[in-house]
Amino acid sequence: MTYTDPFRYTIIFLYVVEAGSFTLAAERLHMSKSGVAKSISRLENRLGVRLFNRTTRQLSLTDEGLVYSQGCSRALTELENAQLDISTRKVSPSGKLRIDMPVVFGKKWVMPILLDITEKYPELELDVTLTDRRINLIEDGVDLVIRIGQLDESATLVAKNLGMQKSVVCASPQYLKKFGYPQVINDLTNHQCITFISGNRPLPWYFIDEQNNTQSILIQGRISSNHSETILDATLHGHGISLLSNWLVSSYLDNGQLVRLLPDVQTLGFPIHAVWPQNKHLSPKVRVVVDALAKSFITQSPWNEPNSF
């Protein structure tokens, strides 16, 4: 059985487009000029369109030729990226990886995965910063960041979704025994609430109503902090009701140290992403971290259990 290459003439076409003439393309392909011309004619016959406008002095693409050229270029780029993708998978991660992540989430959920990776790949070095301030990856020379919240549009960055953070209204059993349970959202204004503060102002609590609209409530309380673990500690010790991330409180909901309140009320969610600079291909050191985070967070994140949000 005889097989023909369906893209044989397409490669010659792209050489002609790049060279701007049949003669120069023939030299680069080590073919005769007539051989190149016949190949283009056969391709045009196969496609049913004219690809070039030919004169004795000039060769230019037709509208159809331009569209075909752009499509072929995109396809070749995808093929090159696929080859690079496969090649980099064979390379063991090495060198320094600079990664930035939110303080509490990074310490609790990302660092254990990073430490496991360094055990597996001894040539990989980690340079980890923990901050809740959004940095500029390109300007700061960072390889990878973990971000919670909506992303800014950027043509220079690539993002991998790692899941969704939801918030949980919760309190300790001792607080609820003393002050009772809120039955609806507005009942929260009659309770001691522990608030997150930013810029010397308590942040409102956000909920989703039945029409899928965002509803904000300004909560008051005697205790406030700009650190979620501090709010968690105060909640565990019975000082009030708090709105905390599901990944932070899931284990305390499981063991009964905290009780979820208003379970039928939907809270505002925030996506979790791994973000890295746009490159032609993903480096092995970034790939191994992103793959490990995706495997852990998307398929088996402990905060995705039904009783945790």
Side-chain angles (χ1 to χ4, degrees), residues 30 58 71 89 135 194 210 232 252 270 283 287:
H30 303 290
Q58 188 176 11
R89 287 178 183 271
I135 66 168
I194 306 168
E210 295 179 354
L232 172 62
Y252 301 102
F270 298 96
S283 68
R287 176 185 299 284

Side-chain angles (χ1 to χ4, degrees), residues 113-309:
I113 296 173
L114 294 179
L115 295 177
D116 286 343
I117 291 173
T118 57
E119 287 288 330
K120 187 175 181 180
Y121 301 103
E123 295 184 359
L124 180 64
E125 303 175 26
L126 291 179
D127 184 345
V128 179
T129 56
L130 296 162
T131 176
D132 294 321
R133 176 183 60 86
R134 288 206 171 189
I135 66 168
N136 185 303
L137 280 78
I138 308 299
E139 293 180 0
D140 294 336
V142 174
D143 300 300
L144 181 68
V145 299
I146 308 302
R147 284 183 174 166
I148 300 176
Q150 297 299 326
L151 297 177
D152 299 327
E153 291 291 334
S154 175
T156 62
L157 301 177
V158 181
K160 169 73 173 180
N161 188 283
L162 299 176
M164 180 70 70
Q165 169 187 293
K166 285 295 188 71
S167 299
V168 179
V169 181
C170 57
S172 67
Q174 56 266 40
Y175 174 88
L176 297 171
K177 183 178 181 179
K178 186 174 182 180
F179 296 101
Y181 288 69
Q183 300 301 315
V184 295
I185 292 176
N186 289 335
D187 288 348
L188 294 171
T189 58
N190 298 320
H191 280 266
Q192 289 296 322
C193 293
I194 306 168
T195 58
F196 192 94
I197 194 168
S198 177
N200 296 321
R201 294 182 180 180
L203 297 181
W205 290 6
Y206 293 96
F207 301 94
I208 307 297
D209 62 22
E210 295 179 354
Q211 287 73 42
N212 206 36
N213 296 317
T214 302
Q215 175 186 3
S216 65
I217 296 181
L218 188 60
I219 302 296
Q220 300 295 328
R222 294 190 300 118
I223 299 176
S224 61
S225 175
N226 68 342
H227 196 275
S228 55
E229 283 185 320
T230 299
I231 296 174
L232 172 62
D233 289 340
T235 308
L236 288 169
H237 285 85
H239 292 288
I241 297 174
S242 62
L243 181 72
L244 291 168
S245 303
N246 48 8
W247 51 261
L248 183 61
V249 300
S250 59
S251 61
Y252 301 102
L253 295 172
D254 289 340
N255 64 24
Q257 288 183 266
L258 291 177
V259 176
R260 182 181 178 183
L261 307 176
L262 305 173
D264 296 328
V265 175
Q266 184 179 357
T267 58
L268 188 63
F270 298 96
I272 304 171
H273 287 95
V275 183
W276 62 93
Q278 170 75 65
N279 294 313
K280 198 167 187 180
H281 64 279
L282 190 59
S283 68
K285 61 185 179 181
V286 174
R287 176 185 299 284
V288 71
V289 173
V290 172
D291 287 349
L293 293 175
K295 180 180 179 181
S296 177
F297 294 165
I298 295 176
T299 63
Q300 53 188 355
S301 56
W303 61 85
N304 282 341
E305 295 299 322
N307 65 341
S308 66
F309 67 103

